[in-house]
């Protein structure tokens, strides 16, 4: 039998093998793009009505309106670890995923947030700094009106299955300012093991600050996800970074709007805002609330401002809605 001509083998090696490898890489890349999902992760701290000028406290009415809106829009809430495992096993595409997070272990998570989540069929995760967690209600820690959860409450909440519990350091110190950043993590995990009787799988870096050594430690202790404070959508896909998940901060405080149609031929409104200054996006809708124009880009909301509909000629029956700067929560 004749040997194949050597030049054919050379051409096959030089052209066909790299082409095949290229096709495989392209297929994996395309599959990765197709399967990648954007997930909004929202960062709250406290839900209560006693701190109208506190950016960390969202009013109960605002929070419930946001949950109602998420329900109407078809969002499904997940815990970070569920999204992680779905990604690892190549699970099916998630239907409008949303992650709700609550930092600092405030008592309002138990008193207000958990009942409202149950009412709307949602779930969330609360990240606790363990030095702030007392053993029982009698020794509950109180910091300038902010009361924190206890270990008994944490264990009971976790068993009820609506609120997952994550770690938020021991003394809530920034990783780059801690005398011993590793000790902050180990003391936090030890507290969870000894007093909580479980090891969390998700971590919230205090002030959003993290270091590579800290990420390695968390991974070694079995943590699958960690959240930061970078303001953008999380990307869930192969190659995404589950230990650096970004979050959108939900600005608290009381926001009262007075919105009056402008007189004359121009379609528009005067908006008077009372509350902490914040950036917003204006949505134009028909009377049924259906959008009739793309939302504008974020703009700082001054105490009083005028916004006009950009269409010509100005159509009648146009309403205005005010959304947060990331177009996730309707504010008014
Ligand atoms: Zn915090």
């Amino acid at each position: 039998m004749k040997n194949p001509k050597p030049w054919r083998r050379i051409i096959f090696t030089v052209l066909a093998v790299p082409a095949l490898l290229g096709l495989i890489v392209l297929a994996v890349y395309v599959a990765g793009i197709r399967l990648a999902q954007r997930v909004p992760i929202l960062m709250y701290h406290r839900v209560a009505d006693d701190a109208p000028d506190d950016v960390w406290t969202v009013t109960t009415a605002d929070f419930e309106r946001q949950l109602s809106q998420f329900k109407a829009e078809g969002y499904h809430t997940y815990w970070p670890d569920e999204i992680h495992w779905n990604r690892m096993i190549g699970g099916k595409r998630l239907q409008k995923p949303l992650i709700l997070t609550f930092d600092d272990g405030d008592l309002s998570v138990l008193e207000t947030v958990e009942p409202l989540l149950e009412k709307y069929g949602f779930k969330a995760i609360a990240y606790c700094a363990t030095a702030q967690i007392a053993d029982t209600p009698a020794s509950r820690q109180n910091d300038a009106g902010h009361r924190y959860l206890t270990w008994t409450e944490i264990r009971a909440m976790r068993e009820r299955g609506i609120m997952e519990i994550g770690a938020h350091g021991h003394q809530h110190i920034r990783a780059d300012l801690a005398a011993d950043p590793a000790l902050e993590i180990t003391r936090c995990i030890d507290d969870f093991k000894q007093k909580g009787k479980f090891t969390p799988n998700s971590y919230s870096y205090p002030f959003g600050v993290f270091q590579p050594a800290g990420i390695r430690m968390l991974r070694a202790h079995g943590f699958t996800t960690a959240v930061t404070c970078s303001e953008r959508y999380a990307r869930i896909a192969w190659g995404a970074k589950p230990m650096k998940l970004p979050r959108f901060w939900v600005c608290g405080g009381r926001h009262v709007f007075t919105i009056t149609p402008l007189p004359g031929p121009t379609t528009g409104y005067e908006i008077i805002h009372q509350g902490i200054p914040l950036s917003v996006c204006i949505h134009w809708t028909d009377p049924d609330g259906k959008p009739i124009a793309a939302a504008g880009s974020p703009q700082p909301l001054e105490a009083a401002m005028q916004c006009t509909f950009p269409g010509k000629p100005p159509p009648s029956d146009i309403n205005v809605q005010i959304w947060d700067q990331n177009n996730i929560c309707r504010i008014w």
Side-chain angles (χ1 to χ4, degrees), residues 103-104 168 172:
D103 277 13
D104 296 352
H168 195 35
H172 197 273

Side-chain angles (χ1 to χ4, degrees), residues 287-304:
D288 295 329
K290 274 177 57 180
I292 54 172
S297 48
Q299 55 182 305
L301 183 57
E302 294 151 13

Side-chain angles (χ1 to χ4, degrees), residues 41-48 56-60 62-64 66-67 70 77-80 98-118 122-129 132-133 148-149 154 157 162-168 172 192 202-205 227-229 247-250:
I41 305 180
L42 303 188
M43 175 177 67
Y44 297 87
H45 287 75
R46 186 165 182 265
V47 177
W56 307 109
T57 302
V58 172
T59 67
T60 309
D62 280 356
F63 182 61
E64 179 157 14
Q66 288 160 12
L67 293 184
F70 298 146
T77 48
Y78 296 89
W79 293 320
L98 171 70
I99 297 178
L100 305 174
T101 71
F102 292 81
D103 277 13
D104 296 352
D106 190 89
L107 181 59
S108 66
V109 164
L110 169 71
E111 292 182 337
T112 310
V113 174
E114 192 191 32
L116 284 173
L117 292 174
E118 185 175 25
F122 287 142
K123 58 167 80 167
I125 183 165
Y127 292 104
C128 302
Q132 292 166 334
I133 306 301
Y148 296 102
L149 293 164
I154 281 175
M157 258 199 302
I162 293 173
M163 191 67 74
E164 177 58 287
I165 306 296
H168 195 35
H172 197 273
F192 270 107
S202 189
Y203 196 88
S204 169
Y205 305 109
V227 292
T228 70
C229 300
R247 291 187 290 177
F248 292 117
W249 171 48
V250 181

Side-chain angles (χ1 to χ4, degrees), residues 45-254:
H45 287 75
R46 186 165 182 265
V47 177
D49 299 314
D50 58 0
D53 297 321
D54 178 13
V55 293
W56 307 109
T57 302
V58 172
T59 67
T60 309
D62 280 356
F63 182 61
E64 179 157 14
R65 189 176 57 239
Q66 288 160 12
L67 293 184
S68 168
Q69 176 211 328
F70 298 146
K71 193 83 193 166
E73 290 187 22
Y75 277 106
H76 295 86
T77 48
Y78 296 89
W79 293 320
D81 191 55
E82 291 180 294
I83 297 232
H84 162 75
W85 284 108
N86 187 69
R87 179 184 70 102
M88 291 300 284
I89 63 171
K92 66 176 192 256
R93 207 170 165 75
L94 302 170
Q95 289 289 313
K96 287 206 85 164
L98 171 70
I99 297 178
L100 305 174
T101 71
F102 292 81
D103 277 13
D104 296 352
D106 190 89
L107 181 59
S108 66
V109 164
L110 169 71
E111 292 182 337
T112 310
V113 174
E114 192 191 32
L116 284 173
L117 292 174
E118 185 175 25
K119 177 177 172 183
Y120 287 90
F122 287 142
K123 58 167 80 167
I125 183 165
Y127 292 104
C128 302
T130 55
Q132 292 166 334
I133 306 301
D135 289 328
T136 62
S139 54
R140 185 186 308 285
Q141 296 204 31
N142 192 330
D143 176 16
H146 289 227
R147 295 180 299 151
Y148 296 102
L149 293 164
T150 66
W151 285 112
T152 45
E153 291 161 350
I154 281 175
R155 285 195 296 270
M157 258 199 302
R158 197 159 177 263
E159 276 174 22
R160 289 194 289 273
I162 293 173
M163 191 67 74
E164 177 58 287
I165 306 296
H168 195 35
H170 175 62
Q171 289 191 304
H172 197 273
I173 301 174
R174 282 172 58 129
D176 57 345
L177 299 181
D180 187 346
L183 192 61
E184 264 291 296
I185 292 176
T186 50
R187 288 186 73 180
C188 169
I189 294 171
D190 287 347
D191 280 348
F192 270 107
K193 282 182 180 165
Q194 289 166 18
K195 300 176 181 177
K197 313 295 181 201
F198 69 98
T199 305
N201 54 39
S202 189
Y203 196 88
S204 169
Y205 305 109
F207 304 95
V209 178
F210 55 86
Q211 293 174 327
I215 294 177
R216 285 194 294 276
M217 275 186 71
L218 292 170
R219 279 214 165 104
H221 281 94
F223 283 72
T224 56
T225 59
V227 292
T228 70
C229 300
S230 329
E231 289 260 340
R232 59 178 195 277
Y233 279 90
R235 190 172 154 272
I236 307 297
W238 285 100
K241 296 186 174 73
M243 300 304 284
K244 297 180 186 176
L245 294 172
R247 291 187 290 177
F248 292 117
W249 171 48
V250 181
C251 180
R254 183 178 51 97

